[in-house]
């Protein structure tokens, strides 16, 4: 697996090895969603019941959709816009464009959260007593309850984006691949250390038991939709990332095997995170939750009670930092690859640097709108009607409930029906790869996956469910 391959087209970047590609794609998929959203969902969705449901969704829906994105990328060897342009003539170019736009919006706020995470690494190492004194008040201060949050909105996100930029300007192989080769093993080491700490806490066994017992009474549409939405978000589908990363894969690689490994690693990390968080919160009597409020506020109650908790806390945020950085790099790469391929006169270095500066200022509005500035967005769904959420919430609603599922849907319809499932399967079979479940995949991608994504859209927009 480890050996390099000759480049077939010298101008086009390629991964140095398939292992590097798998790490990078897994690095994109494994992000904040796995670590702070999944455990809370598993808790509320009936423990093992949720996890089993999630596995089925990843195998039958998520993996099928990932194969579709990867094949389109590898077939065209282009960024999403170029890929759709080449395959569908001008009429479909906007789909790729929307993918690039989605990646752009997500990364603007994802990088902000990456900055907050860095700020918390430092805070736990230097000033854990102030966090413990009042975790919520501390978090609000970070977000600007007592003045402009310069550190959380500008300084730390600038460092975070700077690190991503540093990797991105060095290119696919020397930058992105190398970064993932360092950070991903680090991420796994941290995960196992934290797991060992959590499950050996007195009282942790109750949490483990809770996770292993399927609570069938929790089976309902909401739980099903939550698992579906989580899977798409967690696998980084629906914004052209896998298309872009797939475009750097050489033709002699087996995309099926790669998909299986990427999906397994992503799911493994989500499950491990659940087995870190849930036993710890059970042991320490903290209410399990999800998202930023949980990770930045509630978990402080856990770290406070553990011996050397400030170090465990710093390790936890370091884990989040690794996860967020590799996802951020994949998101920016989608935009960069589009810019440099559509405008060859702009260099990778220049486009990455300019983009990062734009992302920093656009993204700062996400942090500023949390408490400091009353910036609002506008939203409409079937449950709550017309509402004016804060700009930060609006950015998340826009991407999670609308853009990601919508893009994923069109992507999959395009591959299955416009390009043709048969031809896409042909791309998988290049260089003599046998596509064992070809007919099953074609059935899934033509009918099941679009229907499943349609359900996510209806649940999120029609019924206003929180899905990812
Ligand atoms: N998959 C990443 C996660 O689970 C998030 C992400 C979403 C990354 C979309 C890239 C694109 O956090």
């Amino acid at each position: 697996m480890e050996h390099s391959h000759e480049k077939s087209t010298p101008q086009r970047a390629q991964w140095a090895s398939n292992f590097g590609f798998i790490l990078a794609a897994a690095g994109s998929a494994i992000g904040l969603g796995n670590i702070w959203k999944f455990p809370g969902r598993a808790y509320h969705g009936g423990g093992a019941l949720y996890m089993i449901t999630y596995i089925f969704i990843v195998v039958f829906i998520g993996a099928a959709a990932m194969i579709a994105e990867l094949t389109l990328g590898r077939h065209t060897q282009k960024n999403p816009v170029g890929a759709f342009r080449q395959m569908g003539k001008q009429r479909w170019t906007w789909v790729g464009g929307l993918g690039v736009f989605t990646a752009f919006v997500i990364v603007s706020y994802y990088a902000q959260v990456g900055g907050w995470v860095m700020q918390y690494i430092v805070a736990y190492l230097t000033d854990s007593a102030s966090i413990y004194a009042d975790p919520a008040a501390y978090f609000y201060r970070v977000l600007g309850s007592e003045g402009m949050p310069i550190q959380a909105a500008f300084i730390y996100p600038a460092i975070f984006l700077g690190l991503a930029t540093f990797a991105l300007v060095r290119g696919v192989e020397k930058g992105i691949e190398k970064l993932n080769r360092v950070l991903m093993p680090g991420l796994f080491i941290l995960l196992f250390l934290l797991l060992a700490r959590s499950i050996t806490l007195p009282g942790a066994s109750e949490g483990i038991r809770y996770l292993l017992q399927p609570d069938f009474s929790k089976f309902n549409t909401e739980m099903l939709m939550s698992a579906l939405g989580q899977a798409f978000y967690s696998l980084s589908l629906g914004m052209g990332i896998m298309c872009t990363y797939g475009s750097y894969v050489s033709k002699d690689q087996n995309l099926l095997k790669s998909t299986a490994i990427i999906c397994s690693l992503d799911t493994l990390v989500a499950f491990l995170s659940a087995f870190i968080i849930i036993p710890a919160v059970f042991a320490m009597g903290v209410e399990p939750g999800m998202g930023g409020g949980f990770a930045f506020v509630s978990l402080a109650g856990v770290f406070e009670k553990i011996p050397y908790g400030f170090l465990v806390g710093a390790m936890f945020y370091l884990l989040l930092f690794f996860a967020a950085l590799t996802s951020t790099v994949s998101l920016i790469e989608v935009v960069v690859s589009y810019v440099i391929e559509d405008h060859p006169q702009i260099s990778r270095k220049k486009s990455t640097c300019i983009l990062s500066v734009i992302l920093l200022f656009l993204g700062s509005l996400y942090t500023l709108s949390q408490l400091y500035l009353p910036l609002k967005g506008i939203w409409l769904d079937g449950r709550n009607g017309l509402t004016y959420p804060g700009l930060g919430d609006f950015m998340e609603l826009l991407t999670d409930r609308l853009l990601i599922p919508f893009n994923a849907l069109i992507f999959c319809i395009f591959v299955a029906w416009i390009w043709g499932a048969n031809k896409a399967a042909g791309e998988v079979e290049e260089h003599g790869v046998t596509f064992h479940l070809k007919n099953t995949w074609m059935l899934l991608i033509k009918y099941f996956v679009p229907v499943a994504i349609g359900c996510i859209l209806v649940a999120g927009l029609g019924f206003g469910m929180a899905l990812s």
Side-chain angles (χ1 to χ4, degrees), residues 444-463:
L444 288 172
I445 203 71
K446 279 168 129 169
Y447 305 104
F448 285 81
V449 182
V451 169
I453 307 174
C455 291
I456 302 181
L457 274 169
V458 172
L461 295 178
F463 300 106

Side-chain angles (χ1 to χ4, degrees), residues 7 20 52 54 98 121 160 182 237 263 311 322 362 364 386 409 424 453:
K7 297 188 174 181
I52 294 166
Y54 187 78
L98 204 59
I121 300 176
F160 187 81
V182 176
L237 296 169
C263 292
L311 265 185
F322 283 3
L362 181 73
S364 68
L386 195 64
L409 178 66
I453 307 174

Side-chain angles (χ1 to χ4, degrees), residues 41-50 53 210 213-224:
R41 283 172 189 271
Y43 173 80
H44 292 292
L49 171 76
Y50 188 88
T53 311
Y210 182 91
Q213 257 166 17
D215 176 358
F216 289 104
S217 72
K218 296 274 169 63
F219 193 87
N220 57 31
T221 328
E222 194 136 5
M223 169 263 183
L224 204 60

